[in-house]
């Protein structure tokens, strides 16, 4: 498969990763949170000032130690894409998006707290309008092909997610604007 021929435009520098780097990514992306990651999350998990009003309920610290990443493996087309175009932006028709590279994917999923808010989703990129593009890796799904959903950063829940494609191949060949699919 020639990824370059799929898109109208690719923005960013081509960064071909070694097979060793890809293998390391594939075996480490879903490991339990490290002590450093847990400490960073706890440091930033403070009671918001607007929660002082009883109408907002009782704030409780998040239980980050209970977070788990899905056990699935990424589709081969996704791995081929990030192996050559890690961290690049893509345009095909009205569809514009960027993908996280192996060094950023885990970090972005932790930063946006996807394991807390939308369990089983793994964000692999963003469009230009604040929508995450996620693999639906919940355990009941097929472990070789994952549906692709768009979900806005401000509403990270399955009920707010909109189906974009039935698999990664269909996603990268799509031309519709992601924000229009997600937010109408």
């Amino acid at each position: 498969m020639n990824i370059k021929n799929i898109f109208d435009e690719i923005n960013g520098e081509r960064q071909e990763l070694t097979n060793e780097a890809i293998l390391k990514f594939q075996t480490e992306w879903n490991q339990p949170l490290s002590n450093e990651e847990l400490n960073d999350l706890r440091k930033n998990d403070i009671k918001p000032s607007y929660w002082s009003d009883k109408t907002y309920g009782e704030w409780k610290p998040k239980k980050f130690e209970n977070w788990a990443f899905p056990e699935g493996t990424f589709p081969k087309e996704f791995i081929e894409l990030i192996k050559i175009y890690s961290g690049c932006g893509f345009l095909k028709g009205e569809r514009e998006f960027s993908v996280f590279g192996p060094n950023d994917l885990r970090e972005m999923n932790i930063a946006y707290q996807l394991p807390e808010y939308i369990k089983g989703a793994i964000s692999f990129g963003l469009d230009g309008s604040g929508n995450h593009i996620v693999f639906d890796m919940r355990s009941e799904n097929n472990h070789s092909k994952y549906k692709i959903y768009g979900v806005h950063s401000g509403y990270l829940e399955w009920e707010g997610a909109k189906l974009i494609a039935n698999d990664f191949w269909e996603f990268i060949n799509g031309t519709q604007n992601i924000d229009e699919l997600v937010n109408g």
Side-chain angles (χ1 to χ4, degrees):
M1 168 179 69
N2 189 345
I3 294 286
K4 187 174 185 173
N5 294 336
I6 293 173
F7 301 103
D8 298 338
E9 232 178 87
I10 299 175
N11 298 306
E13 283 190 39
R14 180 182 164 127
Q15 301 176 8
E16 190 148 350
L17 300 174
T18 64
N19 288 334
E20 292 81 24
I22 290 294
L23 182 60
K24 182 178 185 209
F25 164 68
Q26 289 177 298
T27 57
E28 294 179 0
W29 75 270
N30 60 354
Q31 294 297 306
L33 293 174
S34 69
N35 285 334
E36 183 180 346
E37 290 167 330
L38 284 167
N39 288 336
D40 286 344
L41 286 163
R42 287 183 185 123
K43 179 174 59 178
N44 295 313
D45 189 33
I46 57 174
K47 182 178 182 177
S49 60
Y50 60 81
W51 281 70
S52 61
D53 185 339
K54 288 288 183 193
T55 61
Y56 289 102
E58 294 295 320
W59 176 85
K60 292 181 181 142
K62 294 181 181 103
K63 296 185 186 260
F64 300 112
E65 61 278 359
N66 294 339
W67 283 11
F69 291 103
E71 294 297 320
T73 57
F74 291 110
K76 66 181 171 114
E77 297 90 357
F78 174 72
I79 295 298
E80 288 178 40
L81 180 75
I82 65 169
K83 183 174 182 181
I84 299 171
Y85 298 106
S86 176
C88 288
F90 303 90
L91 177 67
K92 182 171 181 153
E94 297 297 314
R95 179 161 296 174
E96 185 174 1
F97 65 96
S98 61
V99 294
F100 304 136
N103 296 330
D104 300 323
L105 185 135
R106 179 180 172 94
E107 184 179 313
M108 293 300 284
N109 278 269
I110 291 171
Y112 281 94
Q113 301 188 8
L114 269 77
E116 176 78 17
Y117 297 113
I118 187 164
K119 291 174 178 52
I122 292 296
S123 177
F124 63 86
L126 292 162
D127 73 351
S129 300
N131 297 300
H132 284 269
I133 309 154
V134 302
F135 289 114
D136 180 359
M137 297 177 96
R138 292 177 282 188
S139 62
E140 66 269 13
N141 294 316
N142 182 329
H143 292 288
S144 61
K145 290 188 175 190
Y146 302 104
K147 292 185 183 221
I148 310 293
Y149 285 82
V151 61
H152 195 274
S153 299
Y155 187 48
L156 290 172
E157 294 184 14
W158 281 113
E159 60 194 41
K162 301 288 193 241
L163 180 67
I164 296 175
N166 289 306
D167 58 36
F168 191 71
W169 183 250
E170 182 182 316
F171 171 75
I172 61 174
N173 282 288
T175 59
Q176 288 183 283
N177 181 291
I178 294 168
D179 190 51
E180 288 177 13
L181 293 170
V182 174
N183 298 306

